[in-house]
Amino acid sequence: MTAVEEKPTRLISGPGMLLVWFYGVMVVGAVSRSAYQIATDFQRAPLAYSLSAVAGVVYGFITYTLIRGGETARRAALVCCAAELAGVLIVGTWTLVDRSAFPDATVWSDYGMGYIFIPVLLPLSAMYWLRKARNTVTP
């Protein structure tokens, strides 16, 4: 029996590089938007601005795990993308059902309509890519 030396899964090849680019743009957009809103007018919509900050942190973590690569990072990114998708769906629905709860938009409002629906499409694309990039060990 021979030991097979495994290389870390490279997650930023091909479509993975495009995902890193999109997540990087979303990090900058969500973090800068929420930082400005929290610093200047937090009392106006604390929930919306806090959710935008959380979205920025999630995007940052996913970007980091995609760049890091490896099976552990792939799994962590997959879980984070699923949580991100759940957040987009919950907040998106919430903003449609109860507009008064969000006096100002979040990154995930209306399923990311203010960001050309990228917040709902990105985790779906990333989860597809991450499942496809799973290590397959052949005997």
Side-chain angles (χ1 to χ4, degrees), residues 42-62:
F42 185 70
Q43 70 280 0
R44 180 167 181 251
L47 179 61
Y49 300 158
S50 298
L51 285 172
S52 288
V54 168
V57 170
V58 169
Y59 294 146
F61 181 76
I62 293 170

Side-chain angles (χ1 to χ4, degrees), residues 28 62 66 76 81 87 101 108 125 133 135:
V28 171
I62 293 170
L66 288 170
C81 287
W108 295 342
S125 303
N135 276 346

Side-chain angles (χ1 to χ4, degrees), residues 5-10 70-71 135:
E5 187 176 316
E6 288 187 42
K7 287 183 171 179
T9 305
R10 185 161 162 81
E71 186 59 18
N135 276 346

Side-chain angles (χ1 to χ4, degrees), residues 25-84:
V25 168
M26 293 304 289
V27 168
V28 171
V31 169
S32 60
R33 173 186 181 159
S34 64
Y36 175 78
Q37 290 171 324
I38 289 169
T40 60
D41 202 15
F42 185 70
Q43 70 280 0
R44 180 167 181 251
L47 179 61
Y49 300 158
S50 298
L51 285 172
S52 288
V54 168
V57 170
V58 169
Y59 294 146
F61 181 76
I62 293 170
T63 304
Y64 168 75
T65 57
L66 288 170
I67 291 169
R68 178 175 160 82
E71 186 59 18
T72 302
R74 187 195 67 79
R75 281 193 220 127
L78 193 56
V79 168
C80 235
C81 287
E84 172 195 359

